[in-house]
Amino acid sequence: MKKAKEHIDETILLKIIENTADVNERSLFKRWIESSDMHAETFEQLKKLNQLTSIDIFNQQKNWESVLKKVKEEKAIPDYIELPVAQRSTITLQLRTFLRYAAMLLILLGVSFLIKIVVFDSQQLTISGKDMKLHEAYTLADGSKVYLNGNSEISFSKKFGIKERKITLKGEAFFEVQRNEKMPFSITTCKTTTEVLGTSFNVYSELSGKVKVSVVTGVVSFYSGEKENGLKLVAGEQGSYNPDLQKIVKDKNVDMNLLAWKTGILYFNETPITDAFNLLQKQYSRVFVFEPKQGSIPLLTTTFDNQTLEAVLDELNLLLNTKNVCKNDTIFFKSFIK
């Protein structure tokens, strides 16, 4: 049976090379080295590089200081132009020495960079709404909760909540943020940033770059570019960002179905059937088409509370005096006259 590839922290490899690893770290190293031939080859290369130079492959600042120190140990370069041949040879030798160490540094940094990409764990976590149950919340390390809509996803550092609370969003999500006045919570989506200390709000973004932030409780800072140019939004308000105008507009949120995707509840009060069908399409991932035989477009007044698609279709047929026909993912409602 093929072994699953293990991952390991780079500092453990350095400890193994320097013979300073403890029992647990050696056990982790043993599992890692045995999980892939590539790991063994990589480690052998690291050992050889470590034997060739004292440069620390995991510390770029230390690497550079080491190179400068070795260059300075050579004879100083005179600061005049006309030099005897011997002096010119000294400069050539110093230049070659510098280039040799610089080349070694670049090689080591390159190896370290590739190892970080290929071998070690990614420092980012990505959570997708497709992998979550309906109405299920994802709880972050700080206790904040995130509800993801459909194909939406969030990405954040594995160290989230230690020094900062930053998230990148694609799509739509509802946030219930734990208050922390010393560590603001921020969401970046498209070209906007939403920043809070602790509150609840919804963020909706489109591929076109449009973003809408709707606040349920607390205060939210919503901006694009400089924070000072942003807007403060309170409960009941929403901010809309238009990428074409590069401007954020604030207004009142009067949409009763703002969180229908999260709660499963849809309210209709004399709503034009075309508008109602647009909301139903998002809720049930189907295309709703109304085909009237005659007369005006009807208005819909009802409430759907977490009902199945079949139950919704039955009620719509009763209210609209229609019968529906399903073709693939499209549902046609055909009017009939008694």
Side-chain angles (χ1 to χ4, degrees):
M1 183 177 178
K2 189 176 180 180
K3 293 182 179 180
K5 286 188 178 181
E6 296 278 344
H7 296 278
I8 193 170
D9 190 285
E10 56 263 39
T11 56
I12 295 179
L13 292 184
L14 187 58
K15 288 183 178 180
I16 293 294
I17 292 174
E18 296 178 345
N19 199 28
T20 58
D22 58 28
V23 175
N24 290 333
E25 289 168 336
R26 290 184 179 278
S27 177
L28 289 172
F29 170 74
K30 185 175 184 296
R31 290 205 306 268
W32 176 79
I33 203 76
E34 292 176 349
S35 68
S36 171
D37 292 339
M38 183 185 72
H39 293 173
E41 293 175 5
T42 299
F43 184 67
E44 285 302 316
Q45 292 177 2
L46 290 178
K47 285 200 300 184
K48 290 178 182 178
L49 290 172
N50 189 69
Q51 292 169 357
L52 289 173
T53 178
S54 61
I55 293 177
D56 180 356
I57 64 174
F58 299 113
N59 190 324
Q60 296 185 17
Q61 180 62 31
K62 186 177 178 181
N63 290 342
W64 184 242
E65 291 174 356
S66 177
V67 170
L68 293 179
K69 180 180 178 181
K70 291 180 183 296
V71 172
K72 289 178 181 178
E73 288 174 355
E74 303 293 337
K75 187 175 180 180
I77 300 175
D79 56 0
Y80 47 84
I81 298 176
E82 293 296 332
L83 298 172
V85 175
Q87 290 282 5
R88 295 174 191 170
S89 299
T90 300
I91 292 178
T92 302
L93 178 61
Q94 290 175 340
L95 180 59
R96 287 176 180 172
T97 302
F98 177 84
L99 292 177
R100 177 163 58 86
Y101 285 120
M104 186 179 295
L105 173 64
L106 291 175
I107 291 172
L108 291 173
L109 290 179
V111 170
S112 176
F113 178 73
L114 288 174
I115 290 172
K116 285 178 181 292
I117 292 178
V118 177
V119 180
F120 303 122
D121 279 328
S122 167
Q123 295 303 305
Q124 291 285 315
L125 287 176
T126 298
I127 307 299
S128 173
K130 294 185 293 185
D131 301 327
M132 300 176 67
K133 297 179 181 178
L134 187 64
H135 310 324
E136 179 185 13
Y138 180 84
T139 303
L140 296 163
D142 67 337
S144 298
K145 293 183 178 181
V146 184
Y147 298 83
L148 288 166
N149 186 7
N151 295 324
S152 305
E153 65 178 37
I154 54 172
S155 300
F156 52 92
S157 169
K158 288 184 177 180
K159 297 181 180 180
F160 176 91
I162 298 178
K163 292 184 178 180
E164 60 183 20
R165 300 191 294 172
K166 294 184 178 180
I167 281 181
T168 299
L169 168 69
K170 293 181 181 179
E172 183 173 21
F174 183 81
F175 297 86
E176 295 176 352
V177 178
Q178 288 291 319
R179 190 169 188 82
N180 186 339
E181 296 185 2
K182 296 181 179 179
M183 193 183 300
F185 187 109
S186 67
I187 301 102
T188 300
T189 183
C190 299
K191 294 183 178 180
T192 70
T193 300
T194 305
E195 187 174 294
V196 303
L197 297 178
T199 182
S200 59
F201 56 97
N202 192 78
V203 181
Y204 170 74
S205 64
E206 299 179 356
L207 293 176
S208 64
K210 292 183 178 180
V211 180
K212 181 182 291 185
V213 175
S214 305
V215 184
V216 176
T217 63
V219 181
V220 169
S221 177
F222 183 39
Y223 58 93
S224 177
E226 297 297 327
K227 183 177 179 179
E228 292 73 17
N229 299 328
L231 295 176
K232 293 289 185 182
L233 305 174
V234 299
E237 292 182 336
Q238 66 181 17
S240 301
Y241 172 74
N242 188 319
D244 296 329
L245 302 176
Q246 295 187 357
K247 184 179 180 181
I248 296 177
V249 177
K250 178 168 66 174
D251 56 17
K252 294 292 183 181
N253 176 32
V254 294
D255 185 3
M256 294 187 298
N257 294 308
L258 171 68
L259 299 178
W261 65 268
K262 173 180 174 290
T263 63
I265 304 175
L266 283 166
Y267 301 97
F268 299 109
N269 183 20
E270 295 188 349
T271 306
I273 197 63
T274 50
D275 294 341
F277 275 13
N278 285 335
L279 289 170
L280 288 167
Q281 287 178 181
K282 294 179 181 179
Q283 195 75 4
Y284 292 96
S285 300
R286 298 288 191 279
V287 178
F288 286 67
V289 179
F290 183 70
E291 297 181 336
K293 281 191 174 182
Q294 62 182 24
S296 60
I297 300 297
L299 303 178
L300 183 64
T301 299
T302 189
T303 298
F304 295 119
D305 188 350
N306 290 284
Q307 292 170 234
T308 63
L309 177 60
E310 290 73 16
V312 169
L313 296 181
D314 288 342
E315 185 169 342
L316 286 173
N317 285 327
L318 181 63
L319 294 172
L320 301 174
N321 192 28
T322 59
K323 61 179 179 180
N324 66 272
V325 177
C326 299
K327 293 183 180 179
N328 298 322
D329 291 333
T330 302
I331 304 172
F332 298 90
F333 290 82
K334 301 179 181 292
S335 298
F336 63 90
I337 302 175
K338 292 183 179 180

